[in-house]
Amino acid sequence: MKKLKETKTGKKILAFGLSAAMILSLFSVAATADTVQNDDVTAQQNTTTAEELSTTEQASTEEGSTTVEETTTQEESTTVAETTTEEETTAPDTSTAVGASITVDNYIYRISDNNTVILKGFANGFSSAKVTVKNRIVYNGVTYKVVKIGAGAFRDETSIKKVVIWKNTTEIGKNAFRGCTNLKKVTIRTGVTLIRKYAFAGCSKLKTVNILSTKLTEVKRNAFKNIKSNAVINVMSKSVRLIVKASVPANIAVNRM
């Protein structure tokens, strides 16, 4: 009987142990499940955070790119605007380009080169009894040397009675004073080297010509054709006298001063 009780008591203890083991096992499984669930939640949170960070970085990068592009575009636009403004500011002044005509003191000049001009005649509507061919003129703050009287510059200008040509002029062009029928006196200063054909032809009242230039090397044929029959041309040197004498009619006196 006693053995039977002990056996029952042992079975109860075994059953209780098994029950306790099962309960502990269930607690362990539950804890493991909670841990796994927590790990999944943490991983999901980490993934979400990483995605949010990636999105934020991408947005930041896009904003940075947009800012750089806008800055670059703005800089390029500014550069283009500045370049355009500079080009507009430094556009060449065609009014003083070589070949341009300018008017100074009622005379027209054509710009040649190296700050020199050619006298082309009176400005429109202007006339004068005296023509003075200056050494220099000033236009728009620039000084130009007058080096030549152009072809036909004063042709048939009947108002002219006297002409003075200063030393920077080296050439008197073809027909320059042709047909100036009231011209009576001409003074040519020291710079002239060439008088072209018909320069004073037909100046029927031209009586006195004073050539002070010793540099004169050529007087073209008929330069003094049909001037006053008793006209006198005065020169400074023997060599110039020979040059002039060879080009004028025999009735024109050529004298050394």
Side-chain angles (χ1 to χ4, degrees):
M1 192 73 175
K2 184 179 179 180
K3 187 181 285 188
L4 180 60
K5 287 180 179 181
E6 290 176 351
T7 301
K8 287 181 180 181
T9 301
K11 287 182 178 180
K12 287 179 180 181
I13 292 170
L14 179 61
F16 180 79
L18 289 173
S19 297
M22 288 179 66
I23 291 170
L24 290 173
S25 177
L26 287 173
F27 276 117
S28 177
V29 169
T32 302
D34 289 340
T35 302
V36 170
Q37 183 176 4
N38 289 336
D39 290 342
D40 290 342
V41 170
T42 303
Q44 185 175 2
Q45 290 177 346
N46 290 338
T47 302
T48 303
T49 304
E51 289 177 352
E52 290 175 351
L53 288 174
S54 177
T55 303
T56 303
E57 290 176 355
Q58 183 176 1
S60 176
T61 302
E62 290 176 354
E63 289 177 357
S65 300
T66 304
T67 303
V68 170
E69 289 176 357
E70 290 177 351
T71 304
T72 303
T73 303
Q74 185 176 4
E75 289 177 352
E76 289 176 351
S77 300
T78 303
T79 302
V80 169
E82 289 176 352
T83 303
T84 304
T85 303
E86 184 177 357
E87 288 177 352
E88 290 174 353
T89 302
T90 57
D93 182 4
T94 55
S95 66
T96 56
V98 172
S101 293
I102 59 177
T103 301
V104 177
D105 296 334
N106 296 310
Y107 290 93
I108 297 174
Y109 300 86
R110 189 179 77 237
I111 298 173
S112 48
D113 57 5
N114 297 324
N115 289 350
T116 60
V117 291
I118 299 170
L119 177 57
K120 299 298 293 180
F122 289 135
N124 291 338
F126 181 75
S127 63
S128 177
K130 182 180 179 180
V131 171
T132 300
V133 182
K134 298 179 178 180
N135 280 330
R136 298 174 182 83
I137 61 167
V138 178
Y139 182 79
N140 280 353
V142 180
T143 299
Y144 298 90
K145 291 173 63 175
V146 183
V147 297
K148 179 180 177 180
I149 302 171
F154 297 95
R155 184 169 182 170
D156 298 326
E157 291 285 355
T158 57
S159 64
I160 300 173
K161 295 181 178 180
K162 183 178 181 180
V163 172
V164 178
I165 302 169
W166 285 90
K167 66 179 182 179
N168 281 340
T169 298
T170 60
E171 181 179 328
I172 301 172
K174 181 180 178 181
N175 298 317
F177 295 93
R178 186 173 186 172
C180 294
T181 54
N182 288 310
L183 179 59
K184 296 178 179 180
K185 183 178 181 180
V186 174
T187 300
I188 300 171
R189 298 287 180 180
T190 57
V192 171
T193 61
L194 172 63
I195 301 174
R196 292 197 176 274
K197 292 193 298 184
Y198 304 106
F200 297 96
C203 298
S204 55
K205 294 182 180 179
L206 181 55
K207 185 177 181 180
T208 305
V209 179
N210 296 317
I211 301 175
L212 306 180
S213 175
T214 58
K215 300 176 183 178
L216 185 64
T217 57
E218 189 173 8
V219 178
K220 293 291 188 179
R221 188 175 177 182
N222 296 322
F224 294 96
K225 182 179 180 180
N226 295 330
I227 64 174
K228 196 171 180 68
S229 59
N230 60 346
V232 176
I233 299 177
N234 300 305
V235 299
M236 291 294 291
S237 69
K238 181 179 180 179
S239 61
V240 172
R241 181 179 181 275
L242 292 174
I243 291 169
V244 174
K245 188 68 176 175
S247 65
V248 299
N251 60 303
I252 305 299
V254 182
N255 302 322
R256 281 186 65 181
M257 289 188 284

